[in-house]
Amino acid sequence: AQKITQTQPGMFVQEKEAVTLDCTYDTSDPSYGLFWYKQPSSGEMIFLIYQGSYDQQNATEGRYSLNFQKARKSANLVISASQLGDSAMYFCAMRGPTGANSKLTFGKGITLSVRP
Amino acid sequence: GAVVSQHPSRVICKSGTSVKIECRSLDFQATTMFWYRQFPKQSLMLMATSNEGSKATYEQGVEKDKFLINHASLTLSTLTVTSAHPEDSSFYICSARSGLAGRYNEQFFGPGTRLTVL
């Protein structure tokens, strides 16, 4: 069974500073994908970044980077140069097992508040 | 990125009525669509997975006769909440995945539908 754990209850960061959102996972499948999504108050889920289990390098997308430590089963999201618009709920998710009907399993989410 | 639309965005209905929510992939063909439910301040819970032209696969604990899912085409899936009750009030989100090679990892979400049952 897959499991995603996000334990930080809420995070605060000063505008323009970097912040790390933690995510650990557990799976017995050797092939899996890790995702981060942002959900602002409007409710839409915005895809941020993807990391495949066999990817050798950490994924980066603009101000977002994923600190992938496979041995520790962690996939932390780093947001650099925080902006006020980054205030939202952030979900870590894992997809597996492999196959056409593989499903996304979400963590419980982390609320990020960016202070001016 | 690809666009997934949902309609309606918000619906209020009386207890006992049925409500249909549409999910459309606007610029790609979605071989697989997913329906999620989200309560306030909580995570997304997968309700069911549907593939075009076949019956949906429901997660454990989700009543298939209560939540009817139809994936009639590669761009449209519908969720019908039958005989809705106040406990069905929630935020329902659909998601669509492209079946194209090279885009397998991409899964896009609709903007969600907020259902309130009085």
Side-chain angles (χ1 to χ4, degrees):
Chain A
Q2 302 173 95
K3 186 178 180 182
I4 290 282
T5 302
Q6 295 179 264
T7 58
Q8 296 162 308
M11 294 288 288
F12 294 87
V13 64
Q14 204 69 29
E15 193 179 8
K16 299 181 184 177
E17 292 185 350
V19 63
T20 298
L21 306 182
D22 296 341
C23 173
T24 58
Y25 61 92
D26 193 21
T27 180
S28 56
D29 196 336
S31 179
Y32 51 89
L34 296 159
F35 300 76
W36 276 92
Y37 287 89
K38 171 185 177 182
Q39 187 180 41
S41 57
S42 60
E44 63 176 315
M45 295 290 285
I46 302 169
F47 166 75
L48 296 179
I49 198 166
Y50 167 80
Q51 180 86 42
S53 59
Y54 293 120
D55 293 344
Q56 295 296 313
Q57 294 189 328
N58 287 344
T60 60
E61 290 284 351
R63 294 187 299 114
Y64 305 107
S65 60
L66 200 151
N67 185 359
F68 181 44
Q69 298 189 38
K70 195 171 182 177
R72 298 177 60 183
K73 294 189 175 180
S74 74
N76 298 341
L77 176 71
V78 180
I79 305 175
S80 62
S82 297
Q83 301 172 356
L84 295 178
D86 293 335
S87 294
M89 193 87 166
Y90 288 80
F91 291 96
C92 179
M94 177 168 61
R95 192 159 96 199
T98 51
N101 285 336
S102 60
K103 301 177 288 190
L104 274 178
T105 300
F106 285 87
K108 68 175 187 178
I110 303 169
T111 300
L112 175 66
S113 299
V114 181
R115 292 170 168 154
Chain B
V3 177
V4 175
S5 70
Q6 265 184 258
H7 179 80
S9 58
R10 185 180 296 268
V11 58
I12 301 172
C13 68
K14 292 182 179 180
S15 185
T17 60
S18 294
V19 175
K20 180 184 283 189
I21 303 169
E22 289 188 351
C23 176
R24 293 181 185 273
S25 57
L26 298 183
D27 57 356
F28 68 101
Q29 292 185 326
T31 53
T32 307
M33 285 187 169
F34 305 86
W35 286 94
Y36 295 84
R37 182 175 183 176
Q38 184 182 30
F39 292 106
K41 305 293 184 184
Q42 294 189 24
S43 188
L44 280 71
M45 299 301 296
L46 180 65
M47 299 174 67
T49 302
S50 73
N51 292 300
E52 184 263 339
S54 61
K55 289 184 179 180
T57 301
Y58 290 81
E59 295 299 300
Q60 192 172 9
V62 178
E63 300 174 61
K64 60 181 180 181
D65 295 330
K66 172 79 171 174
F67 299 100
L68 301 179
I69 292 172
N70 186 299
H71 192 161
S73 75
L74 284 171
T75 59
L76 173 65
S77 176
T78 60
L79 167 68
T80 301
V81 183
T82 61
S83 187
H85 289 92
E87 58 266 27
D88 298 325
S89 298
S90 189
F91 192 56
Y92 292 88
I93 308 175
C94 75
S95 180
R97 181 186 300 164
S98 167
L100 292 177
R103 300 195 68 179
Y104 177 67
N105 292 323
E106 297 180 344
Q107 184 167 334
F108 302 94
F109 286 80
T113 297
R114 190 162 303 281
L115 170 64
T116 302
V117 184
L118 302 176

